[in-house]
Amino acid sequence: MNLINRAKSILLSPKTEWAVIEPEQTDVKTLTLNYLLPLALIPAIAGFIGFGLIGQNVLGMHIGSAGYGLRYAIVSLVSTIGGAFLTAYIIDLLAPSFGSEKNFLQSFKLVVYSYTPMMVAGVFLIIPALGILATLAGLYGLYLLYIGLQPMKKTPDDKKTTYFVVSLIVVIIGSVVLSAILSSIFITSGIRY
């Protein structure tokens, strides 16, 4: 798997790419190290540059420092990778309730490749004011997740929307908890935003 070709294909022709991804034999470690980590570094490094070196002006005040940029980069990287595992776990846990195949590897592939638009668009964080574009790209990632449910998890068409919505709600709750944990770690260790 070539990272650039895979990212391009999942972004531009996702329906056909899911059919290619589904039978691939890989493992979680390989997928994490060869695809997720390199792409997760894009928003982390761009965030470090944007919030740490360039900064931004808010109400006439300049906000940004190397320390803030470093904290942003660490939280971005940890939350992206941790969020992928958490989301895959939740999707896999809920699978039998929606007539879908319980298979963590397939769930992980589904989530990791669905994160692609958000991670690639993370380059916009170099200019913090453009960071909203990375968030908007995340919406395209939700579309990728939705259309990937059937080929990756063998979800019946009549249960696909419900499975997607329930998974999304549980993932949002899990993400809030993950964010709270990460924030408490940085606050407890004496690092302040």
Side-chain angles (χ1 to χ4, degrees):
M1 166 196 61
N2 178 302
L3 182 136
I4 294 171
N5 289 340
R6 173 54 51 83
K8 182 177 147 187
S9 296
I10 198 69
L11 292 172
L12 301 177
S13 55
K15 289 182 181 179
T16 55
E17 194 62 17
W18 283 127
V20 172
I21 293 168
E22 190 274 326
E24 287 180 348
Q25 295 300 314
T26 187
D27 58 67
V28 171
K29 179 182 173 184
T30 302
L31 189 57
T32 301
L33 294 176
N34 294 343
Y35 191 86
L36 179 61
L37 180 60
L39 287 181
L41 285 170
I42 294 171
I45 293 169
F48 172 75
I49 293 168
F51 293 108
L53 303 179
I54 296 173
Q56 62 183 347
N57 290 320
V58 177
L59 301 173
M61 294 176 53
H62 183 77
I63 298 174
S65 68
Y68 180 74
L70 182 60
R71 287 189 301 274
Y72 182 90
I74 292 168
V75 169
S76 172
L77 189 62
V78 171
S79 63
T80 299
I81 294 171
F85 277 93
L86 176 66
T87 304
Y89 176 77
I90 290 167
I91 286 173
D92 200 52
L93 186 68
L94 294 172
S97 301
F98 297 96
S100 300
E101 179 182 276
K102 186 166 174 49
N103 179 327
F104 182 77
L105 178 59
Q106 293 299 88
S107 298
F108 192 66
K109 290 192 305 187
L110 174 67
V111 170
V112 167
Y113 294 126
S114 295
Y115 270 33
T116 302
M118 177 188 65
M119 293 186 293
V120 170
V123 74
F124 290 115
L125 292 170
I126 288 176
I127 301 171
L130 296 178
I132 188 70
L133 296 175
T135 304
L136 293 175
L139 295 176
Y140 183 62
L142 292 176
Y143 168 74
L144 295 179
L145 183 72
Y146 179 77
I147 65 169
L149 281 173
Q150 199 291 316
M152 299 300 291
K153 298 297 290 173
K154 309 296 183 246
T155 305
D157 282 338
D158 63 325
K159 295 184 179 184
K160 189 163 76 169
T161 302
T162 309
Y163 184 21
F164 174 75
V165 170
V166 170
S167 296
L168 189 60
I169 290 168
V170 176
V171 165
I172 289 170
I173 293 167
S175 296
V176 169
V177 171
L178 180 63
S179 294
I181 291 169
L182 287 174
S183 294
S184 70
I185 289 170
F186 281 100
I187 290 170
T188 304
S189 66
I191 299 172
R192 302 257 186 246
Y193 287 98

